[in-house]
Amino acid sequence: MPVINTAQENFRNVSVASVPITYTAAQALLLNVAPTSTTGTALLWDINTSSVSGTNPSLLYVMPYMINSGTPANTGIGMRLLGWRKYLNAAGTTFWYLPTVLADFTLGFTTPASSTANYTIDVANTRPFSSITQVSGTPAGYLYSPATALAANVEAAYAMIDVAGSSYVTAQFKSSGAPTMGCFWSNL
């Protein structure tokens, strides 16, 4: 019987400083340049990079977090994943990049927030979210949301999302208080 080999990626990390209170709409519109990291948005991967080149990943695993030195009191916390596909215009001269909302999440912490897990991973006060709810995106993702089941649970929440043939994937973050937010991610 042949051995089944599945590529196991190490987690990668992406973060965005001073995230805005709402998603930046201009970063989810049709573009004529490839998507990049910019205010409130981080490029997770591009199909042309060595981390995913030739692997044609179909699933994206994300574990979002916030950097916060005190008890988290932020509101309106969210993360939106956008998949981008390339389209070559009819004249064959210009690529356009078309966004698709892969998933939009509401994120939260354990109750009481003072018991939220706090780690030093690259930087101090890295706090993974303990609840995650998908509010939009198709198809629905697989979610592990321990604080949704029991408010006192402190385990890290995560989601696994179908990237549906995307050539690029970006993550947008939002929250009150302009914190640094990000996610650990890997693809399958």
Side-chain angles (χ1 to χ4, degrees), residues 62-142:
V62 291
M63 183 182 294
Y65 64 84
M66 178 184 287
I67 306 295
N68 192 314
S69 61
T71 299
N74 304 70
T75 59
I77 305 169
M79 178 177 76
R80 181 165 68 176
L81 298 172
L82 299 171
W84 298 82
R85 290 177 185 76
K86 287 170 60 172
Y87 168 75
L88 183 60
N89 70 347
T93 56
T94 306
F95 276 110
W96 285 91
Y97 299 84
L98 294 83
T100 301
V101 175
L102 299 173
D104 189 349
F105 302 109
T106 298
L107 305 168
F109 291 108
T110 294
T111 303
S114 60
S115 64
T116 299
N118 184 357
Y119 303 100
T120 298
I121 304 174
D122 296 330
V123 296
N125 303 309
T126 300
R127 297 178 182 272
F129 292 97
S130 50
S131 72
I132 186 168
T133 306
Q134 186 170 352
V135 293
S136 69
T138 301
Y142 173 80

Side-chain angles (χ1 to χ4, degrees):
M1 185 167 218
V3 175
I4 298 173
N5 291 320
T6 302
Q8 298 297 316
E9 301 277 346
N10 288 329
F11 272 121
R12 291 173 177 81
N13 181 14
V14 65
S15 64
V16 174
S18 302
V19 303
I21 198 162
T22 60
Y23 296 129
T24 306
Q27 296 166 12
L29 301 175
L30 190 70
L31 301 173
N32 63 359
V33 295
T36 61
S37 294
T38 185
T39 305
T41 299
L43 177 66
L44 297 186
W45 58 267
D46 145 2
I47 199 70
N48 303 306
T49 62
S50 60
S51 66
V52 296
S53 181
T55 62
N56 298 318
S58 61
L59 295 172
L60 177 65
Y61 179 100
V62 291
M63 183 182 294
Y65 64 84
M66 178 184 287
I67 306 295
N68 192 314
S69 61
T71 299
N74 304 70
T75 59
I77 305 169
M79 178 177 76
R80 181 165 68 176
L81 298 172
L82 299 171
W84 298 82
R85 290 177 185 76
K86 287 170 60 172
Y87 168 75
L88 183 60
N89 70 347
T93 56
T94 306
F95 276 110
W96 285 91
Y97 299 84
L98 294 83
T100 301
V101 175
L102 299 173
D104 189 349
F105 302 109
T106 298
L107 305 168
F109 291 108
T110 294
T111 303
S114 60
S115 64
T116 299
N118 184 357
Y119 303 100
T120 298
I121 304 174
D122 296 330
V123 296
N125 303 309
T126 300
R127 297 178 182 272
F129 292 97
S130 50
S131 72
I132 186 168
T133 306
Q134 186 170 352
V135 293
S136 69
T138 301
Y142 173 80
L143 308 177
Y144 176 67
S145 186
T148 301
L150 178 63
N153 284 343
V154 296
E155 296 90 0
Y158 66 82
M160 194 170 335
I161 300 299
D162 185 340
V163 297
S166 300
S167 296
Y168 300 82
V169 175
T170 55
Q172 291 186 308
F173 300 94
K174 67 175 184 172
S175 177
S176 66
T180 294
M181 290 178 64
C183 68
F184 296 103
W185 66 274
S186 68
N187 50 41
L188 304 171

